[in-house]
Amino acid sequence: MAAASPARELTQNPLQKTWEPYDNGLPAGHSAQRGVCMTNCPTLIVMVGLPARGKTYISKKLTRYLNWIGVPTKEFNVGQYRRDLVKKYKSFEFFLPDNEEGLKIRKQCALAALNDVRQYLSEENGHVAVFDATNTTRERRETIYKFGEENGYKTFFVESVCVDPEVIAANIVQVKLGSPDYVDCSNDEATEDFMKRIECYKNSYETLDETLDKDLSYIKIMDVGRSYLVNRVMDHIQSRIVYYLMNIHVTPRSIYLCRHGESELNLKGRIGGDPGLSVRGKEFARSLAQFINEQNIKDLKVWTSQMKRTIQTAEALGVPYEQWKVLNEIDAGVCEEMTYEEIQENYPLEFALRDQDKYRYRYPKGESYEDLVQRLEPVIMELERQENVLVICHQAVMRCLLAYFLDKPAEQLPYLKCPLHTVLKLTPVAYGCKVESIFLNVEAVNTHRDKPENVGVDRSREEALRTVPNHL
Amino acid sequence: MAAASPARELTQNPLQKTWEPYDNGLPAGHSAQRGVCMTNCPTLIVMVGLPARGKTYISKKLTRYLNWIGVPTKEFNVGQYRRDLVKKYKSFEFFLPDNEEGLKIRKQCALAALNDVRQYLSEENGHVAVFDATNTTRERRETIYKFGEENGYKTFFVESVCVDPEVIAANIVQVKLGSPDYVDCSNDEATEDFMKRIECYKNSYETLDETLDKDLSYIKIMDVGRSYLVNRVMDHIQSRIVYYLMNIHVTPRSIYLCRHGESELNLKGRIGGDPGLSVRGKEFARSLAQFINEQNIKDLKVWTSQMKRTIQTAEALGVPYEQWKVLNEIDAGVCEEMTYEEIQENYPLEFALRDQDKYRYRYPKGESYEDLVQRLEPVIMELERQENVLVICHQAVMRCLLAYFLDKPAEQLPYLKCPLHTVLKLTPVAYGCKVESIFLNVEAVNTHRDKPENVDISRPPEDALVTVPAHQ
């Protein structure tokens, strides 16, 4: 441990309100903000498994989750490299183990993908790369592991093992029939070809073995999550990945997101506070109850925040609901219950900084969207565990949750449109999420303020307020 | 789903500030606050494993964690029932598989323990019971599983498998030599007897099997956490238990807890805010640096909150540190930066409510200790993963962390003594935690306010302020 030197002075970052040391007026190192996952060296996640075992599904989902919690992650699908190289897919024969030409191309694609991995992790500040390919032989995995070691990456294997023919068939229907490989085939032709493709891999498949692979770090997912074998978890990020993978499932269900009904403060164009519903807000609550009834949802769970307006909304449903404090609206600190006009009046600098970087901007004595995402992570984890859920929350909160499901980056998140009195029904499909937007036909004020053109700290009052929506 | 009835009125609980529906002036059902783990039916955790495999260590630790996060949990150690019944332990022969008398007593103890489990879970509002015994035969586990089913409990098995003789030997030294069973024996005698005791179980040991036990919910921990087999996790609480068990380790290390140095607001008897260090606070920071240097700690991690006073303190150490927003002091809402005298002046009712139930009391627009525990849970989880860590935090935060390590219940937590300029060094030993308190010899104000005698809302100001520590 170094000898103690005179403590450096601290300065408060005007955007994020974090205290940072500075040397001679410049920000200095030494202090890191825990953005949930401090990854010291990059992590290479390597998928393992026969075709149609959910590798790409897991890759995409995991990538989406890690990016949402603030860990820069990218997936590299070797099949996509192959499609880019071999323009037209002919048949399963490409994958026959004795097809020299096929083997050569496939190896070339794997190496091209690994090269892009190296660029992402070592040159582009990526933290995690997900290498999505079958990687079914010990030899191939050895090659990749060495690649990781040479570059200073920690390697973590994720294997999906499944023998249930119904699951395989369902996967083929969900994601293979629509693949670019089978764009000119009938469903039956595609299925038949794909089954033969799987056969090409089976003879050489070497599953991760408790003894032979005992020194590797991995999770083996069996039967779509019925059981797991976890070996040598090395660090925080691997522990989080394992926890996430153990909580996700593929049972069909829908997640309903909406805001509380219009509140008394909404009407006045004021943010935050803990107001009750307006007359129209109560009408929305009744419409919501009717809508939910008509949807006839099996075992619906209802969640609210601990703020009066969401609870009032839930009360109209006449069913049990659970209150989560972490679903409370973003804390606007000193700006609580102000109108945008008053914020501009009293805190013009803050108002401009917020427009410059709405995701990272933290209200004085309040929170940022970035903070919100951290506190909402347990909600996302529980949503993954659950089946049919209705979440009655708030504008900023809903934007964060929506960004997770629709894979929206941080820059777009604070501007996602989440109007009052509108339910978003999210249904997982293929590798993503279908969204249906249902306006429940009760008028409400607009609370969405777009990013204005001029975000300079010296802008005029009119420029700052140009995008403020109407209110009383 | 029930037809929508007219929404019930909401009233705000004056202590916790939560909104609850009421019928005819009385609190009604229907709404639950998510206390992190909503357990619908009680959970019975059944430990499995040969002696000296860490079952009791895991039972106690898991119980401590679950209680801290708010899930009422109790452990039932069958060996303890045996010690209460058979006053004096003679030798390993008690455990021989053909010792009829021994078998009879052991079965009687198991049944007595199960009866107490039933009472705890079904009559005393316990949520989780940890049944700590070897449970090494499939027959015994079947009996317990049936017991769980009959009573409407979900059963989750936790097996610890270990063949490393060094680990077994270390366990025996740590927790068996000091057992009441061996109080009159030398260490060698005790070890020899205990090894023979283990042998008694080996022949009939049936480990949890991937095929034979595929319908049970369990986690098998192998080699003190090198790998895990997880099967059929059924619900949220089991998922949390698995996550916790996968993050704990037994590598010796120490955790250092302290508060920031004395702050400018501390001197004035004001709570909260984001002040800098006083002159004495800066002196403490330098003393802390010296202390840490002298301790010569291997690979020490240093964590602070995002408040200036903890960061200033860390800066004096001259080493990298990580800032965690969740380590920020409890938010006193409208009372931020007030003295206790001002709180009494402006919010006498709030002040009294806080004294009535300091753990659950939430400041208006602020937090409660109960809220703090929820937001500190990721810190505890990461502390479990880490080795040597110094956490520089705040009074209420430190009380919460300390309560976790020292297994203090909610009633005591808010009154734990965490004075300024004092480092607590926590070292895990046997089934608990050794605490060393080191005052770094720099004077500071006392910020500890004891619970006054009179907590009535009608009390005079003198009664309210009688325990306020002196300040400028």
Side-chain angles (χ1 to χ4, degrees):
Chain A
M1 209 177 254
S5 36
R8 297 168 298 181
E9 290 302 309
L10 296 177
T11 178
Q12 191 174 39
N13 173 309
L15 181 81
Q16 296 175 289
K17 312 302 187 289
T18 43
W19 291 97
E20 294 153 5
Y22 65 92
D23 281 324
N24 299 323
L26 293 166
H30 265 214
S31 132
Q33 273 89 47
R34 169 164 278 262
V36 127
C37 290
M38 295 310 294
T39 41
N40 301 327
C41 56
T43 302
L44 172 59
I45 296 176
V46 182
M47 301 304 299
V48 180
L50 293 173
R53 264 58 177 177
K55 296 185 302 298
T56 302
Y57 175 84
I58 291 168
S59 297
K60 287 182 179 293
K61 210 170 157 74
L62 185 58
T63 299
R64 176 161 58 90
Y65 168 71
L66 290 173
N67 278 311
W68 186 76
I69 61 171
V71 180
T73 304
K74 196 170 168 187
E75 37 132 10
F76 299 82
N77 179 282
V78 175
Q80 193 50 49
Y81 282 74
R82 186 260 306 157
R83 275 185 280 275
D84 292 344
L85 190 64
V86 182
K87 302 297 173 201
K88 181 91 187 76
Y89 173 77
K90 293 202 186 71
S91 82
F92 75 95
E93 288 174 359
F94 179 82
F95 294 96
L96 282 168
D98 55 3
N99 180 345
E100 296 284 346
E101 181 69 15
L103 287 168
K104 191 176 136 202
I105 290 171
R106 289 156 70 195
K107 178 128 201 193
Q108 190 181 338
C109 290
L111 291 175
L114 281 181
N115 192 47
D116 286 352
V117 163
R118 194 198 44 73
Q119 186 170 320
Y120 178 67
L121 295 181
S122 299
E123 294 167 27
E124 292 173 14
N125 289 319
H127 283 204
V128 178
V130 184
F131 188 69
D132 179 18
T134 50
N135 298 315
T136 38
T137 62
R138 194 157 280 113
E139 183 205 358
R140 171 55 56 89
R141 297 194 291 266
E142 182 67 41
T143 304
I144 299 167
Y145 186 85
K146 283 208 181 86
F147 163 84
E149 272 198 315
E150 283 160 13
N151 286 284
Y153 309 151
K154 285 186 190 172
T155 302
F156 187 76
F157 294 92
V158 177
E159 181 175 17
S160 174
V161 173
C162 181
V163 295
D164 184 341
E166 279 185 35
V167 173
I168 317 287
N171 287 355
I172 293 176
V173 168
Q174 273 270 315
V175 297
K176 301 297 179 187
L177 299 185
S179 156
D181 289 346
Y182 296 116
V183 73
D184 293 326
C185 300
S186 73
N187 284 355
D188 284 345
E189 286 167 343
T191 304
E192 193 187 330
D193 183 271
F194 199 82
M195 295 304 288
K196 290 180 184 157
R197 205 153 116 179
I198 298 176
E199 285 305 309
C200 293
Y201 287 87
K202 276 191 175 169
N203 280 344
S204 60
Y205 182 18
E206 295 167 295
T207 185
L208 286 169
D209 181 82
E210 275 189 73
T211 313
L212 295 172
D213 298 304
K214 65 175 169 53
D215 290 331
L216 298 180
S217 296
Y218 66 84
I219 178 171
K220 186 190 278 205
I221 305 169
M222 293 168 280
D223 296 325
V224 204
R226 174 161 310 158
S227 59
Y228 307 87
L229 182 63
V230 180
N231 198 60
R232 293 193 185 263
V233 169
M234 300 302 293
D235 60 15
H236 178 89
I237 190 72
Q238 290 182 15
S239 166
R240 295 289 290 274
I241 288 165
V242 163
Y243 184 42
Y244 181 73
L245 292 178
M246 289 177 59
N247 280 315
I248 61 180
H249 67 78
V250 293
T251 310
R253 50 78 175 255
S254 288
I255 292 166
Y256 298 79
L257 300 181
C258 70
R259 292 165 66 187
H260 52 83
E262 183 189 68
S263 77
E264 295 289 355
L265 288 189
N266 287 144
L267 277 176
K268 298 178 184 154
R270 295 186 174 282
I271 64 172
D274 193 14
L277 298 180
S278 66
V279 168
R280 298 193 297 194
K282 290 175 183 169
E283 203 188 322
F284 164 72
R286 292 189 293 272
S287 294
L288 182 64
Q290 190 181 337
F291 169 75
I292 291 297
N293 259 322
E294 286 162 4
Q295 286 277 307
N296 211 19
I297 307 153
K298 171 175 165 263
D299 294 329
L300 180 73
K301 296 269 171 75
V302 179
W303 297 351
T304 70
S305 69
Q306 281 189 356
M307 296 181 141
K308 188 176 186 184
R309 52 199 186 279
T310 57
I311 299 167
Q312 268 185 298
T313 307
E315 271 291 315
L317 304 181
V319 297
Y321 53 89
E322 229 182 284
Q323 298 183 17
W324 293 64
K325 184 173 189 280
V326 293
L327 281 174
N328 282 4
E329 181 56 315
I330 192 171
D331 183 356
V334 300
C335 298
E336 277 284 318
E337 302 198 42
M338 287 190 173
T339 60
Y340 290 118
E341 290 85 350
E342 285 165 1
I343 299 175
Q344 168 60 29
E345 175 81 32
N346 293 288
Y347 302 98
L349 172 62
E350 294 292 330
F351 202 37
L353 287 173
R354 185 157 208 255
D355 283 335
Q356 290 178 15
D357 191 343
K358 197 176 176 190
Y359 183 75
R360 278 167 210 82
Y361 172 81
R362 186 183 284 170
Y363 281 104
K365 303 193 181 180
E367 295 177 300
S368 63
Y369 272 92
E370 194 172 25
D371 295 328
L372 255 196
V373 162
Q374 293 318 313
R375 80 164 151 87
L376 287 170
E377 200 263 351
V379 175
I380 288 298
M381 196 64 83
E382 190 58 19
L383 277 172
E384 287 293 347
R385 289 198 53 79
Q386 292 288 342
E387 295 186 15
N388 292 318
V389 186
L390 163 65
V391 185
I392 305 171
C393 54
H394 304 266
Q395 182 167 247
V397 168
M398 188 165 160
R399 285 170 170 155
C400 293
L401 298 179
L402 194 59
Y404 166 75
F405 287 109
L406 302 186
D407 203 17
K408 299 293 184 188
E411 301 71 46
Q412 294 178 29
L413 186 160
Y415 296 100
L416 293 176
K417 285 211 160 72
C418 294
L420 287 165
H421 298 186
T422 306
V423 179
L424 292 186
K425 178 178 177 181
L426 305 164
T427 311
V429 68
Y431 294 136
C433 225
K434 179 174 87 167
V435 195
E436 295 165 69
S437 173
I438 307 114
F439 172 61
L440 289 193
N441 226 356
V442 178
E443 289 306 312
V445 296
N446 172 28
T447 59
H448 185 95
R449 179 176 166 268
D450 278 309
K451 180 172 178 171
E453 266 200 56
N454 191 346
V455 300
V457 302
D458 53 359
R459 64 190 178 174
S460 69
R461 183 178 173 279
E462 300 72 49
E463 286 174 312
L465 298 174
R466 187 156 300 151
T467 56
V468 172
N470 293 331
H471 56 86
L472 292 176
Chain B
M1 215 185 246
S5 36
R8 297 169 298 182
E9 290 303 309
L10 296 177
T11 177
Q12 190 173 39
N13 174 310
L15 180 81
Q16 296 177 290
K17 312 303 189 288
T18 45
W19 290 97
E20 294 153 5
Y22 66 91
D23 282 322
N24 298 322
L26 293 166
H30 266 214
S31 131
Q33 272 88 44
R34 168 164 278 261
V36 129
C37 290
M38 295 310 295
T39 40
N40 300 329
C41 57
T43 302
L44 172 60
I45 297 176
V46 181
M47 302 303 300
V48 180
L50 293 173
R53 264 54 179 183
K55 295 185 301 300
T56 302
Y57 175 82
I58 291 168
S59 297
K60 286 183 181 293
K61 210 168 157 73
L62 185 58
T63 299
R64 174 162 60 88
Y65 168 72
L66 290 173
N67 277 312
W68 186 77
I69 61 171
V71 179
T73 304
K74 196 169 168 188
E75 37 133 10
F76 299 83
N77 179 282
V78 174
Q80 194 50 49
Y81 283 73
R82 188 259 306 158
R83 274 185 279 277
D84 292 344
L85 191 63
V86 182
K87 301 300 174 199
K88 181 93 187 76
Y89 174 78
K90 293 202 185 71
S91 82
F92 75 96
E93 288 175 359
F94 178 82
F95 293 95
L96 281 167
D98 55 2
N99 181 344
E100 294 285 346
E101 181 68 17
L103 287 169
K104 194 178 132 198
I105 290 171
R106 289 156 71 195
K107 178 125 201 196
Q108 188 181 338
C109 290
L111 291 174
L114 281 181
N115 193 46
D116 287 352
V117 162
R118 195 198 44 73
Q119 185 170 321
Y120 178 66
L121 295 181
S122 300
E123 293 166 30
E124 292 173 14
N125 289 320
H127 283 204
V128 178
V130 184
F131 188 69
D132 178 19
T134 49
N135 299 315
T136 39
T137 63
R138 192 156 282 112
E139 184 206 359
R140 170 57 55 90
R141 297 195 291 267
E142 183 66 45
T143 304
I144 298 167
Y145 186 86
K146 283 209 181 82
F147 162 84
E149 273 199 312
E150 283 161 12
N151 287 285
Y153 310 150
K154 286 186 188 169
T155 302
F156 187 77
F157 294 92
V158 177
E159 180 174 19
S160 173
V161 174
C162 182
V163 294
D164 184 343
E166 278 184 36
V167 173
I168 317 286
N171 287 354
I172 293 176
V173 168
Q174 272 270 315
V175 296
K176 300 298 177 187
L177 299 185
S179 155
D181 290 346
Y182 297 114
V183 72
D184 293 325
C185 299
S186 74
N187 284 356
D188 285 343
E189 285 168 344
T191 304
E192 194 188 328
D193 183 271
F194 199 83
M195 295 306 288
K196 289 183 184 155
R197 207 153 114 179
I198 297 176
E199 284 307 309
C200 294
Y201 287 86
K202 276 189 175 172
N203 281 345
S204 59
Y205 182 18
E206 295 168 294
T207 185
L208 286 171
D209 182 81
E210 276 190 74
T211 313
L212 295 172
D213 298 305
K214 65 175 169 50
D215 290 331
L216 298 179
S217 297
Y218 66 82
I219 178 171
K220 186 190 277 204
I221 305 169
M222 293 168 281
D223 296 324
V224 204
R226 172 161 310 158
S227 59
Y228 307 87
L229 182 63
V230 180
N231 199 59
R232 290 192 188 265
V233 169
M234 300 302 292
D235 60 15
H236 178 90
I237 190 73
Q238 289 182 17
S239 167
R240 295 291 290 275
I241 288 165
V242 164
Y243 184 43
Y244 181 73
L245 292 177
M246 288 177 59
N247 280 316
I248 61 180
H249 68 77
V250 293
T251 310
R253 49 76 175 256
S254 288
I255 293 166
Y256 299 78
L257 301 181
C258 72
R259 292 166 65 187
H260 52 83
E262 184 189 67
S263 76
E264 295 289 354
L265 288 188
N266 286 145
L267 277 176
K268 298 177 182 154
R270 295 184 174 282
I271 64 172
D274 194 15
L277 298 179
S278 67
V279 169
R280 298 193 298 192
K282 290 176 183 170
E283 204 188 321
F284 163 73
R286 289 188 295 270
S287 294
L288 181 65
Q290 190 180 339
F291 169 75
I292 291 299
N293 259 322
E294 287 162 4
Q295 287 276 306
N296 212 20
I297 307 153
K298 170 174 166 265
D299 294 331
L300 180 73
K301 298 271 172 75
V302 179
W303 297 351
T304 69
S305 70
Q306 282 190 355
M307 295 181 142
K308 189 177 184 184
R309 52 200 188 276
T310 57
I311 300 166
Q312 268 185 300
T313 308
E315 271 292 314
L317 304 181
V319 297
Y321 53 90
E322 229 182 282
Q323 296 184 20
W324 293 64
K325 184 173 189 280
V326 292
L327 281 173
N328 281 4
E329 182 57 313
I330 192 171
D331 184 356
V334 301
C335 298
E336 278 283 318
E337 301 197 43
M338 287 189 174
T339 61
Y340 289 118
E341 290 84 350
E342 286 166 359
I343 299 176
Q344 168 60 27
E345 172 84 31
N346 293 288
Y347 301 99
L349 171 62
E350 294 294 329
F351 203 36
L353 287 175
R354 184 156 208 255
D355 283 336
Q356 290 179 15
D357 190 343
K358 197 176 177 190
Y359 183 74
R360 276 167 211 82
Y361 171 81
R362 185 183 285 169
Y363 281 103
K365 302 192 180 179
E367 295 177 300
S368 62
Y369 272 93
E370 193 171 27
D371 295 330
L372 255 196
V373 161
Q374 292 319 311
R375 78 163 152 89
L376 287 170
E377 199 265 350
V379 175
I380 289 297
M381 196 64 84
E382 190 58 20
L383 278 172
E384 287 295 346
R385 289 197 53 77
Q386 292 289 343
E387 294 185 17
N388 292 317
V389 186
L390 164 65
V391 185
I392 304 171
C393 53
H394 304 267
Q395 184 167 245
V397 168
M398 188 163 160
R399 284 170 169 156
C400 293
L401 299 178
L402 194 59
Y404 166 76
F405 288 108
L406 302 187
D407 204 16
K408 298 294 185 186
E411 300 70 46
Q412 295 178 28
L413 186 159
Y415 296 100
L416 293 176
K417 286 208 158 73
C418 294
L420 287 166
H421 299 186
T422 306
V423 179
L424 292 187
K425 178 179 178 181
L426 304 165
T427 311
V429 70
Y431 294 135
C433 226
K434 180 174 87 167
V435 196
E436 294 166 70
S437 172
I438 307 113
F439 173 61
L440 290 194
N441 226 358
V442 177
E443 290 305 311
V445 297
N446 171 28
T447 58
H448 186 94
R449 178 176 166 270
D450 278 309
K451 180 172 178 170
E453 268 198 53
N454 190 347
V455 301
D456 270 2
I457 58 183
S458 58
R459 65 190 177 176
E462 309 80 58
D463 283 11
L465 299 172
V466 68
T467 56
V468 172
H471 59 85
Q472 287 170 359

